[in-house]
Amino acid sequence: MTTLSEPQVQQHAELDESRLRVVLMLEIQDGAQQRFLDVYEKLRHKVASVPGHVSDQLCQSIDDPRQWLITSEWNDPDSFLAWVDSPAHREMVKPMHGCVSDRFRSLRYNILRETSAKGATGTRKPEEVRAGSPRAAGGPGMPQVTPGPDGVTRHALTFTVKPGSERKVAQILAGYTSPQAVVDDTTRLRRTSLFMHGNRVVRAVEVVGDLGAALRHVAMQPEIRAVEEAINPYLEEDRELGNPEAARAFFARAALPAVHHTAPAAPVRGEVERQAVVYPVKKGNGPAVAKLLAEQDGLAAADPGNPVIGSTVFQREDIVVRVVDLRADAGAQPAAALGVGGEREATVLGSLLDLGAEGDLRSAAGVARFLAACDMGLVTDRRSQDA
């Protein structure tokens, strides 16, 4: 151990800003611990050969032997996400499902600082964390995310339906009976906004309290289960709601985390319109698009003359959806609805998107055309009484 009387020379190492730490918290079923260890022993060598994997550890709680922890480090988020979303991963972890209860959490963090036993450190300024980097996310459909500045936790799910079924799916999703908003003493559903663009569906939820508890509450409501069963035949990707493993895997792939939120400093009076835009991102530019939109919305919300009241940017890989609340009709304010600031910002955003041969965000006409092409239709917007 190094004492204060024996100072060590600190050696600073630059950390790659994309390094990722994944933490998986598990509760192992009674009587299944040895089976879980046997499965893990077989899997860990396979995982070690996955491109981008650096290391992993398996830990058991000293207070509760049912509680286990798996941590892993990855060179970059893309390597981890490519693996965790792959069919190979789903097949690889199937043997574990029979050992693990539904009580689990998956957390993902960018590595900011690191200290070795000899005092060597690496640092990266907090403000340099990319807006599009993965945030703490939990188990399939039940992420552990940080509430926004207004105390509300936001999350979204996205999936696609079979072409030609869009109208029928919209009717089903618009016609269900809303579930009870109050979940428990500390958690309630605040708002659910559902949008469609072509055959892509985005369901954005707002929760006060425990997001996981709220999503579990919704999933158990008969009216919601009926809706999910009704749209099942129209999904492009098959899912088995009666199979817990398959259902969890589907909702994990459908998760669209909120990577940025801007909220008004004070309640806004008058009519507020909600709109969503899905951005045609060029491959690999999802984090950059999300960061740019977040910066523009922060400036817009701080300007009393700007129609933007607040916004949430959802992003996973190259899927970027921005839900924005506006003071004025979106059609009359296309630049604000799209998140385009000045000409420089329009040029940068345009370089990150697939605008097509004639696309141009530097003119009012170009912005209007682009918004018309990327605007998501509002299917339903349901709010609790105090939202």
Side-chain angles (χ1 to χ4, degrees):
M1 179 179 71
T2 302
T3 65
L4 292 177
S5 61
E6 299 173 340
Q8 300 290 315
V9 177
Q10 290 189 343
Q11 298 179 350
H12 295 275
E14 291 296 327
L15 285 182
D16 181 349
E17 69 172 26
S18 62
R19 282 171 59 189
L20 183 71
R21 173 79 63 189
V22 179
V23 180
L24 183 62
M25 304 173 69
L26 307 168
E27 181 178 281
I28 305 303
Q29 298 174 3
D30 290 336
Q33 294 182 7
Q34 186 57 52
R35 180 155 49 96
F36 172 74
L37 278 171
D38 294 341
V39 171
Y40 178 81
E41 185 63 25
K42 294 178 181 179
L43 292 184
R44 68 188 185 97
H45 298 293
K46 295 180 181 179
V47 177
S49 66
V50 175
H53 178 271
V54 177
S55 64
D56 60 71
Q57 287 184 324
L58 175 66
C59 310
Q60 185 181 24
S61 170
I62 62 175
D63 299 314
D64 184 349
R66 296 173 302 171
Q67 304 302 319
W68 295 67
L69 182 73
I70 299 176
T71 68
S72 61
E73 183 178 328
W74 298 77
N75 282 329
D76 56 86
D78 290 343
S79 295
F80 169 76
L81 293 172
W83 174 68
V84 81
D85 289 337
S86 68
H89 169 262
R90 293 193 289 274
E91 287 299 318
M92 191 183 296
V93 300
K94 274 184 178 181
M96 275 192 175
H97 290 316
C99 308
V100 180
S101 73
D102 285 338
R103 297 180 180 179
F104 63 89
R105 289 195 297 168
S106 175
L107 311 174
R108 305 168 189 179
Y109 302 91
N110 280 117
I111 299 175
L112 301 184
R113 299 187 180 186
E114 185 175 79
T115 304
S116 72
K118 293 183 178 181
T121 63
T123 63
R124 181 158 56 93
K125 295 180 180 179
E127 62 268 21
E128 293 175 351
V129 176
R130 294 171 297 150
S133 61
R135 293 299 194 263
M142 293 179 290
Q144 305 298 317
V145 296
T146 304
D150 56 355
V152 178
T153 299
R154 292 165 172 83
H155 187 62
L157 297 173
T158 185
F159 51 87
T160 56
V161 298
K162 297 174 182 177
S165 68
E166 294 90 349
R167 179 173 296 183
K168 179 62 176 178
V169 171
Q171 291 174 347
I172 295 172
L173 294 175
Y176 70 93
T177 302
S178 298
Q180 175 65 38
V182 177
V183 177
D184 53 37
D185 292 342
T186 60
T187 301
R188 60 181 172 81
L189 300 170
R190 186 175 183 270
R191 190 169 185 173
T192 299
S193 304
L194 201 146
F195 304 88
M196 289 187 69
H197 179 270
N199 69 330
R200 178 168 294 281
V201 177
V202 172
R203 178 188 294 150
V205 298
E206 299 180 6
V207 172
V208 175
D210 187 336
L211 176 61
L215 294 178
R216 287 191 294 270
H217 164 81
V218 170
M220 291 188 296
Q221 303 308 302
E223 57 269 29
I224 301 301
R225 296 180 69 88
V227 168
E228 298 294 346
E229 291 288 356
I231 66 172
N232 250 1
Y234 304 107
L235 299 180
E236 281 199 312
E237 179 185 355
D238 293 335
R239 68 177 180 184
E240 302 175 59
L241 292 178
N243 182 334
E245 297 176 13
R248 283 196 295 265
F250 175 87
F251 286 112
R253 295 190 296 275
L256 191 61
V259 297
H260 175 80
H261 177 70
T262 297
V268 176
R269 297 182 178 181
E271 290 295 321
V272 176
E273 295 189 2
R274 172 158 288 193
Q275 184 172 5
V277 179
V278 57
Y279 295 82
V281 177
K282 291 179 181 177
K283 185 174 177 58
N285 287 337
V289 171
K291 179 179 180 180
L292 180 60
L293 293 173
E295 291 171 349
Q296 292 302 298
D297 284 338
L299 295 172
D303 179 4
N306 196 292
V308 172
I309 297 171
S311 77
T312 304
V313 179
F314 300 95
Q315 181 249 327
R316 187 188 76 236
E317 297 180 334
D318 288 336
I319 300 176
V320 178
V321 173
R322 177 171 159 273
V323 176
V324 58
D325 292 323
L326 301 162
R327 290 186 176 87
D329 176 68
Q333 301 284 347
L338 192 59
V340 176
E343 183 174 348
R344 176 183 174 278
E345 291 76 19
T347 301
V348 175
L349 181 60
S351 70
L352 300 171
L353 303 176
D354 185 359
L355 301 179
E358 300 181 359
D360 185 3
L361 299 182
R362 293 170 296 179
S363 68
V367 168
R369 285 195 301 270
F370 186 78
L371 178 61
C374 301
D375 183 28
M376 301 196 77
L378 180 62
V379 176
T380 184
D381 187 23
R382 301 167 184 241
R383 288 175 280 185
S384 62
Q385 293 182 350
D386 57 345

